[in-house]
Amino acid sequence: MSEPSKGVPSDAELAELSREELVRLGTELDDVELVKYQDRFPVKGTRAEKRAERQVAGWFLLAGLSGLAFLGLYLFWPNEYQSPFAEGHFVYSLYTPLIGATLGLSVLAIGVGVISYAKKFVPEEEAVQQRHNGGSEEIDKKTTAALLADAGQRSGIARRSMIKRSAGFGAGVFGLGVGVFALGGLVKNPWAEGETPDSLWHTGWMHTSDNEKVYLRRDTGDPGEVSLVRPEDIQAGGFETVFPFRESERGDHDALYYALRRSDNPVMLIRLRPGSEPVKRKGQEDFNYGDYYAYSKICTHLGCPTSLFEQQTGRLLCPCHQSQFDVVNTYAKPVFGPATRSLPQLPIDIDEDGFLVARSDFIEAVGPGFWERKS
Ligand code: FES
């Protein structure tokens, strides 16, 4: 074992030193000159100290209350989608700003509370120190830990129960809020809506029990204007984005708007060039109508719209992370990029009036995650 250098106590002497002595030793060893090191409130229990304590506790209390408000809003504020034409739209539209503002205020109040605690109670220190190279030695670590503990003790945190309780309340509620926020999206009952298009198991292409026809319509920019798609509307090698439409929805602005907005509804209708002879997926050999193939537009990686179709290669491209789905050779399997699942194919046909219709809903999950299927 090497001898301790001059001015450095041995291990035995070090173990005997009090915290205050360790603080002093630490500064001396580091060539630190403590120009100022004093308690913020040398006289305990003054009105000024109590006022400072109340201010810090007030911030933590605010953090806790806004965290509670966030939890309440997140759990109970109406957040089911309402179209701009529906009566409850205004209340629904406040949901995101309100949960953002309350969670933000909670984070801010915790931050301000911690900073004001440090400014008001941790000893005021001004030090001048020479800079050294390399890592810290054991003695430095020990004396630094003593310095931190000393500052903690002098700040009086142990006896400031108001601050401790309010900080516990603020941080506890905030932590709870973050936990609920992270897991809340999973707390949904997939069976709650029964066998309807609103169920998590289905998309807007589902056929209801009365077997009403579901047409392919385009988005003209006006939700009330219904423009149905006929095969001859699309040129060979072309494509169009389509959405579901039922005759019973005609004139119902809410339903028409919702069908265009619902995240799992968009479908890419592709007309392959004649003679393409695509490979078909087992069990889905009759999902196409002639050269017309309909695939979910929602990328199976993270849900971006796969809005580019390259007719030379027959690939659908997702612009977000460059996944490519080969429609011609591998029935929309990903052949490049991070996506790992094929785009689901929608079975289509033509009705007696010459309009393209969906024969049923998709037979597999659309997009990247089951729990995100709606809204
Ligand atoms: S979302 Fe399409 S590649 Fe990532």
Side-chain angles (χ1 to χ4, degrees):
M1 207 173 113
S2 60
E3 283 289 304
S5 54
K6 195 167 177 282
V8 177
S10 66
D11 286 354
E13 286 168 335
L14 201 57
E16 294 295 312
L17 292 180
S18 69
R19 192 168 62 215
E20 280 202 33
E21 288 167 327
L22 281 169
V23 169
R24 255 198 320 277
L25 176 64
T27 56
E28 281 165 18
L29 289 175
D30 283 347
D31 292 333
V32 171
E33 188 192 346
L34 276 179
V35 184
K36 193 173 176 189
Y37 187 62
Q38 63 188 40
D39 288 354
R40 304 275 177 170
F41 297 99
V43 182
K44 307 295 173 208
T46 58
R47 286 172 67 175
E49 184 188 15
K50 290 208 169 98
R51 192 169 53 243
E53 200 170 345
R54 279 198 298 277
Q55 281 173 1
V56 174
W59 282 111
F60 289 133
L61 199 64
L62 179 64
L65 292 176
S66 46
L68 275 181
F70 163 77
L71 271 176
L73 291 166
Y74 184 73
L75 294 174
F76 304 113
W77 193 268
N79 59 15
E80 283 297 311
Y81 173 77
Q82 303 281 336
S83 86
F85 314 102
E87 238 177 53
H89 177 72
F90 179 66
V91 175
Y92 159 79
S93 69
L94 293 178
Y95 176 70
T96 304
L98 282 176
I99 63 168
T102 47
L103 187 63
L105 184 60
S106 188
V107 177
L108 182 74
I110 286 183
V112 175
V114 169
I115 290 169
S116 56
Y117 179 80
K119 284 185 102 65
K120 289 182 195 298
F121 296 108
V122 172
E124 214 174 347
E125 177 188 313
E126 268 177 38
V128 180
Q129 181 178 23
Q130 302 306 317
R131 191 172 166 174
H132 300 280
N133 293 326
S136 305
E137 291 173 15
E138 185 55 30
I139 190 168
D140 295 327
K141 290 181 192 162
K142 211 156 180 183
T143 49
T144 304
L147 186 64
L148 291 174
D150 188 65
Q153 199 246 332
R154 281 173 186 246
S155 75
I157 187 68
R159 64 188 168 82
R160 297 188 199 285
S161 53
M162 193 201 299
I163 290 183
K164 273 198 295 186
R165 279 197 225 117
S166 57
F169 171 64
V173 174
F174 174 72
L176 191 66
V178 170
V180 168
F181 193 51
L183 300 175
L186 300 178
V187 189
K188 274 184 197 169
N189 179 355
W191 291 274
E193 317 274 357
E195 274 293 299
T196 71
D198 277 345
S199 152
L200 277 180
W201 299 106
H202 295 287
T203 70
W205 295 97
M206 180 194 164
H207 283 219
T208 45
S209 53
D210 55 3
N211 218 12
E212 185 178 3
K213 256 189 237 169
V214 183
Y215 292 93
L216 278 59
R217 71 171 282 201
R218 53 178 65 87
D219 183 2
T220 59
D222 173 5
E225 183 192 352
V226 177
S227 171
L228 302 180
V229 182
R230 292 173 182 272
E232 57 270 26
D233 296 342
I234 303 175
Q235 291 181 345
F239 64 93
E240 181 148 23
T241 303
V242 293
F243 303 85
F245 167 75
R246 297 171 181 78
E247 262 315 321
S248 60
E249 294 168 348
R250 197 178 283 277
D252 180 346
H253 241 60
D254 277 358
L256 293 172
Y257 190 80
Y258 182 49
L260 297 176
R261 293 294 301 269
R262 183 171 161 167
S263 61
D264 52 11
N265 278 355
V267 158
M268 284 287 270
L269 176 64
I270 300 164
R271 180 175 179 184
L272 295 180
R273 292 196 288 196
S276 295
E277 294 182 13
V279 176
K280 294 185 182 174
R281 194 168 179 178
K282 199 160 174 261
Q284 301 183 13
E285 291 85 354
D286 59 350
F287 274 26
N288 59 302
Y289 170 73
D291 291 333
Y292 298 82
Y293 289 73
Y295 287 98
S296 165
K297 191 171 175 169
I298 309 304
C299 180
T300 52
H301 176 224
L302 290 179
C304 284
T306 52
S307 35
L308 304 167
F309 177 63
E310 201 176 62
Q311 56 168 296
Q312 286 85 356
T313 57
R315 290 182 181 188
L316 277 166
L317 313 179
C318 177
C320 284
H321 312 101
Q322 282 71 52
S323 282
Q324 297 184 14
F325 302 87
D326 190 337
V327 173
V328 174
N329 300 309
T330 63
Y331 40 83
K333 251 188 187 172
V335 290
F336 184 84
T340 54
R341 217 160 51 79
S342 302
L343 292 172
Q345 188 175 359
L346 184 74
I348 54 170
D349 207 344
I350 190 170
D351 75 350
E352 56 284 1
D353 299 318
F355 292 112
L356 284 162
V357 292
R359 284 173 35 214
S360 77
D361 198 354
F362 292 99
I363 61 167
E364 60 189 314
V366 166
F370 177 84
W371 298 99
E372 305 296 334
R373 293 189 71 182
K374 269 179 70 182
S375 74

